[in-house]
Amino acid sequence: MSEKEKKCNCGHDEHGCKDHECDCEEECDCGCEDIVELTTDDGKKLKFYFVGTIEYKGKNYSAFEPAEEIDGIEDDDLVIFELAGDDEETADLLPVEDEKLLDEVFEEFCRVLEEDELAEEAMSLEPDEK
């Protein structure tokens, strides 16, 4: 089976979920529900996987990974924006211009993600209560 023929749990090929709105009728773990479409200033729509939002030094930052091929961004790059506004759903995403701050926010994301993974692993090791 070629890589393009691999199917995700919702029945789409693994590249299909990234290329269209998924019409899964039941929950799946293909990641399609985590895809957000961001619109650039020039109106171009780009698809990303939402990684999460953290607070750092009194400001909120959201991280995304590309869900499609995007010029200038590698598949495993983490794209970080500052959230401007109170509502995460409607906030403006501002680029982080300060390289030092961007590095600090990236390190904080890594720390938070590692803590989450360790917490999940620890939960799976706890014995079931009888």
Side-chain angles (χ1 to χ4, degrees), residues 5-86:
E5 293 173 351
K6 290 182 183 175
K7 300 287 183 186
C8 71
N9 290 340
C10 66
H12 302 119
D13 66 52
E14 69 178 339
H15 301 290
C17 282
K18 297 177 185 180
D19 294 334
H20 68 277
E21 290 294 322
C22 184
D23 58 358
C24 298
E25 293 184 18
E26 52 188 70
E27 287 188 36
C28 66
D29 63 357
C30 70
C32 55
E33 69 277 358
D34 295 327
I35 293 178
V36 295
E37 194 170 74
L38 304 180
T39 306
T40 63
D41 289 337
D42 62 359
K44 186 175 182 180
K45 294 183 184 298
L46 304 173
K47 292 183 182 181
F48 289 89
Y49 292 108
F50 174 69
V51 175
T53 298
I54 62 167
E55 183 179 340
Y56 183 74
K57 292 187 175 181
K59 294 184 178 181
N60 292 315
Y61 298 89
S62 288
F64 302 88
E65 289 181 311
E68 62 185 356
E69 194 171 308
I70 300 172
D71 289 339
I73 301 176
E74 298 294 321
D75 288 343
D76 59 351
D77 281 353
L78 195 63
V79 180
I80 298 173
F81 295 100
E82 179 185 337
L83 293 178
D86 295 329

Side-chain angles (χ1 to χ4, degrees), residues 115-128:
E115 279 182 6
D116 287 347
E117 286 177 23
L118 291 174
E120 286 178 23
E121 186 177 323
M123 293 281 287
S124 69
L125 297 176
E126 291 182 14
D128 293 334

Side-chain angles (χ1 to χ4, degrees), residues 53-55 107-117:
T53 298
I54 62 167
E55 183 179 340
E107 290 298 322
E108 181 67 8
F109 261 108
C110 291
R111 186 188 67 73
V112 169
L113 290 173
E114 185 175 325
E115 279 182 6
D116 287 347
E117 286 177 23

